[in-house]
Amino acid sequence: MSHALSALDHAIRGDPGGISFLEQTASIYVLDAATTPGRPTTYGWWNFLNDALNDVERYESEGRHHPVAGASSNNQNLDGHVRLLATITRRVARRPPSSDRRLVGTCLANASMGHSMNLLANPDMAQSLLGNNAELRERNMGRIASIVFDFSFHRRMSRDSNGIMMQYPRSSFSDPIAMEQLCGVVAANAVSTGPAAVRHLVSDWIVPSSDSLAPLAVVAIMSHIAMEAVGKGCPAGTKDVIRSLVPSVFKCAIGPILIDSLRESDERGDDAMIETGNISVSATGGGNTEHRTAAWALRALESWCKANSIGAVKLRSIFSSTNINILEAIADALYSNAEVMIDAVSDLIETLLHHDAKDASVTMGISIAGSVMNNCLPADIANQFLLAQQMTGENEKSRISILSELVSAVGLQRFRFAERQSNGDNAVCRCLARTAAAVLLESQDLIKNGTVQASGLLDLLFKAASHPSVYVCGIAVEALAAIAPSNSELSTRLLPYLQGKAIIPFHLIRDVDGGLDDYTNFRDRVLADALIACYTGCSTFYLESCGSAIEEFCQSSPSPHLPYQLEAALFCMIAVSERASKEPDKQVLCGQLEKMVSALAKNSFSTTSHPLVMAKMCRFINKYATSISSCQTKSVFETASELVFTSFNRGLNEYSTHGQLASTYGTSPLSEASNAFKQLLCSSPAQFSTPAARSALENAWKMPYACQQIAIEDREMLCSGLCSVIVSLPSEQWNASLDALAQPILSCLNVVTKEADQVTGSAGEAGQRENIVAPIMNRLSNEIRLLAAVVRCFIQADVSQIFSGGNRAIVIARHRNALVSLLHKSWIYLTHIGRKYCSYEVIATSIGQLLTDSLSLYGSEEELPLLLEITGLAKTSLSVVAKAKNPTSLVPLLSFMQKFMYLHGSNIEPSPRNNAINEPIQVMAKNLMLISYGAVRSCKTSQDNDVSQGIASPMFDTLSSCAKKCPIFLLTLSRDSQPLGEVIRSSIESAPMTLKSNEMDIVLSSINFLKELVSSLTSLSLEALGEVQRDAIVSVIASIKHAVQTDVIITAITSTCVGISPREVLQPLTDLMRVILMFSQWSDIEASVSIAINCGQFQLGDEAKSVALQAFKKCTESEYITANFRKMISDMWEMHQTDDTGTIAGGEAVLDFVQRYKGG
């Protein structure tokens, strides 16, 4: 195998060396001055392409690639090699000749620096090398054009005079995928060369000779030309040329080829599958050569219509002077059974309707403007306006006529849809559903007002909605759902279809191949949205239908299918719960809820004992808990509570058998029962304040300590509901009730802590001891996490009702004292655990959460001792983590620091009042920040880069809170014997690097920190400080300002304006630039902005650079920055998002950019 084919072969096999070689060959040129001394040559992609084409032709000419009947199966197949070769060549062909010349010039300049002879000093030699490369490119393009237009590469099967099928020797160039890419190469080369080359290729070559050229190549090249012409690198003037060529291309090339290929594809009929030969049907989309030719003709029409904003009205007008009825041809194409063809016609119809809709909007605008300005215009302008109205009115009539034809034509496909479905042809069914959906959405207004009759179209969509494939029915369901809210009749008709689709197909119950996942995604997204739309259109019927279904299924005799039918009915109610619960009049809803809950209770878990149904029933009660509590029949709430409590107990007893359910559906009866408990308890806590109810809840709360099977998330949910019940009690009972709630937690902490101390203090191998300690740490962590949930939930539990009425001060004091008392009782355990075990990530996480939740208890200066206790535990934990140098344990404590600085930073900021009152907390804050800073530094030096990067984001978040709430404190923060502002200086130095991080959270956190810092410096006042301290801080600010106006803004501009940054950080980086620009004078940042804009990666050319520089300058001179600036940055970023090897400077997109923003 030759060197070219060998390189392609290595790349196909995934060899990094082969891939790298091809990428470099496609991107650069190298100089060969050694092979022929005195006659250097360059080597680039065009040389490689020439060698590869020679190798493929030689390989095939030797008979090693002809898989005809009887040929050996051991013959090497080069289809993949040619496909890869064509794909890369198309990418390189997008590079204009001028870019090729620059790359060769760069090669010569680089070679001159490393060789004794200076090639640039010899202009004749340099020009010769440039000319040779351009000539080689043209020669390669000629070879590729001769391949794609050669009929022999498009024929694989034919009948002889006796009607016997004959097979041509097959070439890798005949491969449909390779042929498509090679046609794309011809088109890309023409477009990148310039408008004149496009006109020459189309007008002087293809259109006049379209009858004698391979038709598939003609339409494929035409399609690619239109697609390339709307690309970012399209040279200026190309769109105008494309627009001028539309009539001749449509009338003389695409239209006739489409008609002929449609006719011939019908005549060929059953030969379709025979002719695919060795090409897989899935790869080519099925069908014979005529089908593929017709498909490419349709795609060419679609590409040219999209590039020139042509809708069906304009398209029919263009063909009006010919004998081609283009709309009839498009309708005929719908009858094809080839996926590649019907998929193309679906795309074309969608594009035509889209552009017609845009034109209809213009028509409406002109009509409105005419009615408003009828008597305000001069006579000549009024006449012109009247003429425009008449023209747009005629276009609107044509649009309605075309839509009516399309509605009728697509509606007739309902009979074929049923036929294709019975044959298992999902591809055709999907395309027909797609087309029908597009036509329905564009004609819905005409259907509503009766202008267009769409019974056939709707019948087709309803057939599609009942199709077993979610990829077919999903299309129809989405379309029907779009018009259901405003059409009660259609909603009523649609609902049974949706209810049927909500039943999980029985054959998918134990599916392990992804079918159940696909169905679940469809049901949770597409079907749920459609149910909401249906409810909007017929709410009463919807509720009554679901209520009747639940009653029927609860009363039916058990069967294997019944649980899934009941689960589906509950799903339908859950889907609309948010909308139904917000209805002002809940009379119908409450009536149906009473029926449903009663039916579920009467079932006595004969059907509802199924874990899937039990989980869905609990979720149903969860979603409607508030509405159930407001029902007139009060017993319905008790019944719902009993159902949930029974489900909770059953879920606990059967926990081990529900693991598969949780992994498949993401839920379990126990989890759903816990969630439902929370909602019931929160919606009507008073109903659970009776001794019997409280006893039942106490048993449920203590159950995990006897049987440790309940997930911590479920226990937290239950905790939230119990806190709501406690809050509903008289305030004088809060302290005792909260202590009773926390008592099992504290007892468990006591026991498990002693067990941990015993294990860690025992002798034995470290690894064996660690295996024993790990589950103990998890148990401790869960109990601390639960304690944090008690604190958090009690603080949040319906606070608005707590403080309404009575003596507000007394109630507030009792609320706080209950929590403080609980914390004091737990502090001895927490301090011990933090001191000994906070190096474990799970312990640090739970303690960090508890400390964070406890911060909001501090509300006044009198409560300073409590805050010092909280921060004291934080200091103990931070010190342990810093000593252990464990970054994963540091993260949750840094999150506490961020919350602490945000909530109490204003008390920490140096000022005469704070210095006198809050000195203890100022000292504590400084110690905590310095411990955190030291821990971060030690983790970065002791751990690998990936691990240490995990702590960068929470540290930046902490610094952001400092910059926002206490900037002076941050500016002066430094360790002993270190210069003032050590922390902020170090953070600013690392910012440019973190802005380039691959971790999204690190980038966003560092951006937010820099924005907060610069914003604070903009309005910072140092007047309250002494002169010495003020001068020292000014020095720190100067160093920050210099870093921000140099490294930071250079990084931000290069990341955005040359398209390096991910899309997710584009807007935040732009906002950062705006803040810096508002903060700066142009003289301070002019050099930095110029460096960033003039970097080698900026591909938009000198005019765009000038426009960008002027925009940046204007931002520094204005009091505010308009949204236009953000759009400009976004446009520059978008234009750089291309995998082309060339530049886009001088293209249509860049010229539009310059005109849009020049002087603005």
Side-chain angles (χ1 to χ4, degrees):
M1 186 175 285
S2 66
H3 81 281
L5 288 181
S6 177
L8 291 167
D9 191 66
H10 279 83
I12 288 173
R13 299 176 189 277
D15 177 37
I19 296 171
S20 176
F21 172 79
L22 294 181
E23 288 179 347
Q24 292 188 33
T25 305
S27 304
I28 63 173
Y29 286 87
V30 294
L31 185 74
D32 179 9
T35 303
T36 308
R39 297 182 61 186
T41 58
T42 58
Y43 191 91
W45 184 258
W46 303 122
N47 304 83
F48 179 85
L49 175 63
N50 186 63
D51 294 342
L53 292 175
N54 290 338
D55 290 343
V56 172
E57 290 176 352
R58 181 171 59 253
Y59 199 81
E60 293 184 349
S61 67
E62 294 172 358
R64 287 185 283 174
H65 187 217
H66 49 81
V68 295
S72 172
S73 59
N74 296 324
N75 290 333
Q76 179 71 30
N77 190 299
L78 296 181
D79 289 1
H81 302 70
V82 176
R83 289 180 187 181
L84 179 60
L85 180 70
T87 300
I88 301 178
T89 302
R90 182 177 181 182
R91 179 174 168 231
V92 178
R94 292 192 178 111
R95 188 166 65 207
S98 58
S99 293
D100 258 353
R101 287 194 294 272
R102 279 195 294 271
L103 288 175
V104 174
T106 301
C107 167
L108 299 181
N110 292 337
S112 297
M113 296 172 62
H115 291 76
S116 57
M117 66 174 181
N118 188 347
L119 294 174
L120 297 180
N122 187 341
D124 292 337
M125 182 176 292
Q127 288 300 318
S128 174
L129 292 173
L130 290 169
N132 290 341
N133 185 70
E135 181 184 347
L136 183 59
R137 174 173 180 160
E138 289 298 319
R139 191 162 64 245
N140 279 323
M141 287 302 129
R143 291 183 69 178
I144 292 174
S146 66
I147 290 172
V148 299
F149 287 122
D150 188 338
F151 277 94
S152 65
F153 291 121
H154 296 274
R155 280 193 223 107
R156 292 192 296 280
M157 299 293 294
S158 180
R159 294 185 186 273
D160 63 9
S161 57
N162 298 318
I164 300 174
M165 294 300 299
M166 298 177 58
Q167 186 169 357
Y168 288 89
R170 190 180 166 279
S171 166
S172 290
F173 294 123
S174 302
D175 173 66
I177 297 176
M179 180 59 69
E180 174 198 336
Q181 290 291 344
L182 290 172
C183 291
V185 170
V186 175
N189 180 71
V191 172
S192 66
T193 303
V198 174
R199 187 180 292 279
H200 172 68
L201 175 65
V202 175
S203 296
D204 300 341
W205 191 7
I206 295 180
V207 170
S209 308
S210 59
D211 292 339
S212 58
L213 299 174
L216 189 147
V218 171
V219 289
I221 290 175
M222 288 300 183
S223 179
H224 286 300
I225 285 175
M227 288 189 284
E228 296 288 342
V230 295
K232 296 168 187 170
C234 169
T238 305
K239 290 182 181 178
D240 293 335
V241 169
I242 293 293
R243 193 175 298 114
S244 68
L245 291 173
V246 166
S248 60
V249 168
F250 279 12
K251 296 176 184 178
C252 303
I254 299 177
I257 290 175
L258 173 62
I259 298 299
D260 292 343
S261 57
L262 285 173
R263 182 179 62 254
E264 291 175 8
S265 65
D266 290 339
E267 293 173 356
R268 293 290 297 274
D270 295 335
D271 294 345
M273 295 302 105
I274 299 174
E275 189 168 336
T276 55
N278 280 17
I279 305 302
S280 67
V281 174
S282 61
T284 65
N288 53 34
T289 303
E290 284 71 29
H291 282 141
R292 290 175 43 238
T293 302
W296 270 111
L298 291 166
R299 295 208 177 279
L301 268 180
E302 192 244 343
S303 300
W304 281 73
C305 289
K306 185 179 290 186
N308 295 281
S309 300
I310 295 173
V313 175
K314 292 181 182 177
L315 183 65
R316 185 164 68 175
S317 175
I318 291 171
F319 281 97
S320 61
S321 59
T322 69
N323 59 354
I324 297 175
N325 187 332
I326 191 63
L327 296 181
E328 183 179 305
I330 294 172
D332 288 344
L334 284 171
Y335 285 91
S336 173
N337 290 332
E339 179 185 357
V340 64
M341 190 166 158
I342 196 166
D343 205 33
V345 77
S346 298
D347 288 338
L348 173 59
I349 290 174
E350 285 183 9
T351 297
L352 294 175
L353 294 177
H354 170 72
H355 289 297
D356 276 342
K358 290 174 64 176
D359 292 341
S361 299
V362 174
T363 300
M364 181 179 293
I366 292 176
S367 177
I368 294 172
S371 62
V372 172
M373 304 173 62
N374 191 27
N375 299 320
C376 306
L377 298 174
D380 56 337
I381 298 179
N383 290 334
Q384 296 177 17
F385 200 82
L386 180 62
L387 181 60
Q389 282 183 298
Q390 291 174 349
M391 291 179 62
T392 54
E394 290 298 322
N395 288 340
E396 180 63 12
K397 290 179 182 178
S398 297
R399 186 180 81 90
I400 294 173
S401 172
I402 291 171
L403 275 175
S404 181
E405 291 179 28
L406 278 175
V407 167
S408 176
V410 175
L412 290 173
Q413 296 294 317
R414 63 189 184 275
F415 305 110
R416 199 164 71 91
F417 183 95
E419 173 201 342
R420 301 318 302 173
Q421 180 179 345
S422 64
N423 291 338
D425 194 345
N426 289 350
V428 171
C429 290
R430 176 183 57 80
C431 293
L432 288 175
R434 230 181 99 203
T435 305
V439 173
L440 176 69
L441 293 175
E442 292 299 339
S443 59
Q444 57 181 306
D445 292 335
L446 301 175
I447 295 173
K448 288 176 187 176
N449 61 28
T451 305
V452 173
Q453 298 301 315
S455 58
L457 181 67
L458 292 174
D459 286 345
L460 169 56
L461 285 168
F462 275 105
K463 287 180 183 293
S466 61
H467 195 281
S469 169
V470 296
Y471 299 108
V472 177
C473 73
I475 297 170
V477 165
E478 283 186 319
L480 292 169
I483 63 174
S486 58
N487 191 323
S488 60
E489 183 180 349
L490 186 140
S491 299
T492 304
R493 180 183 176 186
L494 178 61
L495 181 58
Y497 287 84
L498 302 183
Q499 290 171 325
K501 281 295 173 184
I503 302 173
I504 300 174
F506 205 66
H507 67 278
L508 293 179
I509 301 301
R510 301 190 182 278
D511 176 81
V512 293
D513 297 327
L516 182 58
D517 291 337
D518 292 343
Y519 171 80
T520 302
N521 289 332
F522 158 76
R523 192 170 79 153
D524 291 342
R525 298 176 184 178
V526 177
L527 191 60
D529 289 343
L531 287 167
I532 293 171
C534 226
Y535 173 83
T536 305
C538 58
S539 57
T540 301
F541 175 77
Y542 187 104
L543 295 174
E544 291 174 350
S545 176
C546 290
S548 299
I550 291 174
E551 279 191 309
E552 177 186 346
F553 296 143
C554 286
Q555 295 170 4
S556 300
S557 301
S559 70
H561 295 272
L562 187 61
Y564 302 99
Q565 294 171 330
L566 178 55
E567 189 269 348
L570 291 168
F571 171 84
C572 292
M573 283 299 298
I574 293 168
V576 302
S577 58
E578 186 175 350
R579 182 71 60 89
S581 299
K582 292 180 179 179
E583 295 286 354
D585 184 5
K586 292 188 174 63
Q587 184 176 356
V588 176
L589 173 63
C590 288
Q592 292 301 322
L593 287 175
E594 291 177 9
K595 289 172 56 179
M596 295 175 195
V597 172
S598 176
L600 291 168
K602 290 178 181 177
N603 183 261
S604 300
F605 283 87
S606 62
T607 301
T608 52
S609 62
H610 190 284
L612 186 61
V613 179
M614 195 157 50
K616 198 67 69 178
M617 178 181 67
C618 290
R619 183 177 294 186
F620 161 72
I621 294 173
N622 172 10
K623 295 294 186 180
Y624 288 99
T626 304
S627 299
I628 290 173
S629 66
S630 62
C631 288
Q632 291 182 351
T633 306
K634 297 303 179 184
S635 61
V636 69
F637 188 88
E638 296 177 6
T639 305
S641 301
E642 291 173 3
L643 285 170
V644 171
F645 193 76
T646 305
S647 299
F648 182 87
N649 288 331
R650 294 180 70 104
L652 185 64
N653 294 331
E654 302 168 4
Y655 187 83
S656 59
T657 64
H658 295 163
Q660 180 64 34
L661 181 73
S663 62
T664 303
Y665 297 98
T667 187
S668 69
L670 187 60
S671 295
E672 293 296 345
S674 299
N675 290 338
F677 248 138
K678 174 189 173 182
Q679 290 302 322
L680 289 170
L681 292 168
C682 293
S683 62
S684 185
Q687 303 224 29
F688 294 92
S689 59
T690 63
R694 291 175 63 183
S695 175
L697 292 175
E698 183 179 353
N699 291 334
W701 176 244
K702 291 183 178 180
M703 202 176 294
Y705 295 98
C707 179
Q708 299 176 27
Q709 289 184 331
I710 303 180
I712 184 63
E713 294 82 7
D714 299 333
R715 297 173 67 191
E716 286 179 316
M717 286 291 177
L718 189 57
C719 172
S720 176
L722 291 172
C723 286
S724 297
V725 174
I726 293 174
V727 168
S728 70
L729 300 173
S731 60
E732 58 268 17
Q733 298 182 24
W734 288 348
N735 202 326
S737 300
L738 200 62
D739 285 349
L741 180 67
Q743 185 56 47
I745 302 174
L746 299 181
S747 299
C748 186
L749 284 175
N750 183 28
V751 172
V752 179
T753 301
K754 290 179 180 178
E755 183 182 354
D757 292 344
Q758 183 179 359
V759 172
T760 55
S762 63
E765 294 184 5
Q768 184 179 4
R769 189 166 58 245
E770 194 64 29
N771 292 334
I772 301 174
V773 169
I776 298 175
M777 292 300 111
N778 287 331
R779 183 76 188 278
L780 278 177
S781 171
N782 285 342
E783 295 305 315
I784 298 172
R785 179 174 167 180
L786 204 57
L787 185 63
V790 172
V791 173
R792 180 174 63 256
C793 295
F794 192 71
I795 291 174
Q796 297 173 349
D798 214 354
V799 176
S800 60
Q801 292 186 13
I802 296 174
F803 301 141
S804 61
N807 190 322
R808 186 172 184 275
I810 294 177
V811 174
I812 291 175
R814 287 173 177 168
H815 181 255
R816 177 187 173 279
N817 290 339
L819 286 167
V820 172
S821 173
L822 172 61
L823 288 176
H824 282 161
K825 291 176 182 176
S826 63
W827 222 246
I828 183 173
Y829 308 114
L830 297 173
T831 304
H832 179 79
I833 294 170
R835 185 178 296 114
K836 289 200 66 174
Y837 304 117
C838 210
S839 57
Y840 290 90
E841 181 184 358
V842 290
I843 298 296
T845 300
S846 56
I847 286 182
Q849 183 62 59
L850 175 61
L851 292 172
T852 302
D853 292 333
S854 303
L855 278 174
S856 56
L857 288 174
Y858 175 79
S860 64
E861 297 163 2
E862 291 77 15
E863 297 163 348
L864 183 59
L866 173 63
L867 185 59
L868 289 175
E869 285 187 86
I870 295 171
T871 52
L873 178 57
K875 181 181 178 182
T876 299
S877 303
L878 270 170
S879 300
V880 172
V881 172
K883 185 177 179 180
K885 297 182 179 180
N886 185 353
T888 56
S889 298
L890 183 58
V891 170
L893 296 175
L894 288 176
S895 298
F896 160 80
M897 286 300 302
Q898 184 271 332
K899 183 73 174 294
F900 168 61
M901 299 307 298
Y902 185 83
L903 290 178
H904 305 296
S906 56
N907 297 322
I908 297 167
E909 183 75 337
S911 67
R913 183 179 183 279
N914 281 343
N915 295 345
I917 299 175
N918 296 316
E919 182 180 1
I921 201 63
Q922 288 178 329
V923 174
M924 180 61 77
K926 180 178 179 180
N927 290 334
L928 288 172
M929 284 298 299
L930 291 179
I931 293 173
S932 301
Y933 173 70
V936 170
R937 287 176 60 89
S938 63
C939 287
K940 283 187 175 181
T941 56
S942 64
Q943 301 286 339
D944 63 75
N945 190 53
D946 291 338
V947 173
S948 63
Q949 276 198 353
I951 59 178
S953 178
M955 188 63 195
F956 275 123
D957 291 338
T958 303
L959 294 171
S960 298
S961 295
C962 293
K964 185 178 184 67
K965 297 294 184 177
C966 47
I968 296 177
F969 168 81
L970 178 61
L971 293 173
T972 59
L973 195 60
S974 58
R975 295 175 294 179
D976 294 339
S977 74
Q978 295 295 327
L980 190 74
E982 175 205 4
V983 173
I984 191 66
R985 291 176 194 265
S986 173
S987 303
I988 286 291
E989 287 175 4
S990 64
M993 180 181 66
T994 57
L995 289 177
K996 302 175 184 177
S997 172
N998 294 326
E999 299 293 332
M1000 195 63 58
D1001 56 342
I1002 295 177
V1003 178
L1004 294 174
S1005 296
S1006 60
I1007 290 172
N1008 189 53
F1009 159 64
L1010 291 168
K1011 284 167 55 182
E1012 293 291 356
L1013 179 61
V1014 174
S1015 298
S1016 296
L1017 294 181
T1018 303
S1019 57
L1020 186 64
S1021 174
L1022 304 176
E1023 294 179 359
L1025 303 178
E1027 183 177 352
V1028 175
Q1029 190 177 17
R1030 185 165 59 245
D1031 291 344
I1033 292 178
V1034 167
S1035 173
V1036 176
I1037 292 175
S1039 65
I1040 295 172
K1041 184 177 179 181
H1042 178 266
V1044 166
Q1045 293 175 341
T1046 52
D1047 295 340
V1048 172
I1049 197 167
I1050 288 173
T1051 302
I1053 293 174
T1054 52
S1055 297
T1056 54
C1057 296
V1058 302
I1060 297 174
S1061 67
R1063 183 183 293 275
E1064 293 83 356
V1065 302
L1066 177 61
Q1067 181 176 327
L1069 273 175
T1070 304
D1071 293 339
L1072 173 61
M1073 286 191 290
R1074 294 172 68 179
V1075 172
I1076 297 174
L1077 293 170
M1078 294 287 290
F1079 172 71
S1080 308
Q1081 299 293 324
W1082 177 242
S1083 57
D1084 297 331
I1085 62 170
E1086 181 178 5
S1088 299
V1089 174
S1090 298
I1091 290 171
I1093 292 295
N1094 286 294
C1095 70
Q1097 295 166 296
F1098 192 87
Q1099 300 181 29
L1100 308 187
D1102 293 337
E1103 282 191 283
K1105 286 181 183 178
S1106 177
V1107 169
L1109 285 170
Q1110 286 300 315
F1112 282 111
K1113 181 179 180 181
K1114 186 176 180 180
C1115 289
T1116 61
E1117 297 171 348
S1118 304
E1119 294 184 1
Y1120 66 93
I1121 299 176
T1122 64
N1124 204 40
F1125 175 78
R1126 177 182 292 176
K1127 185 66 171 62
M1128 183 192 75
I1129 299 296
S1130 176
D1131 287 348
M1132 285 193 286
W1133 184 90
E1134 287 284 356
M1135 285 189 287
H1136 281 91
Q1137 302 309 304
T1138 175
D1139 62 351
D1140 297 349
T1141 56
T1143 177
I1144 59 176
E1148 291 273 7
V1150 174
L1151 286 184
D1152 291 344
F1153 171 85
V1154 171
Q1155 293 173 2
R1156 189 180 310 121
Y1157 298 108
K1158 190 173 185 179

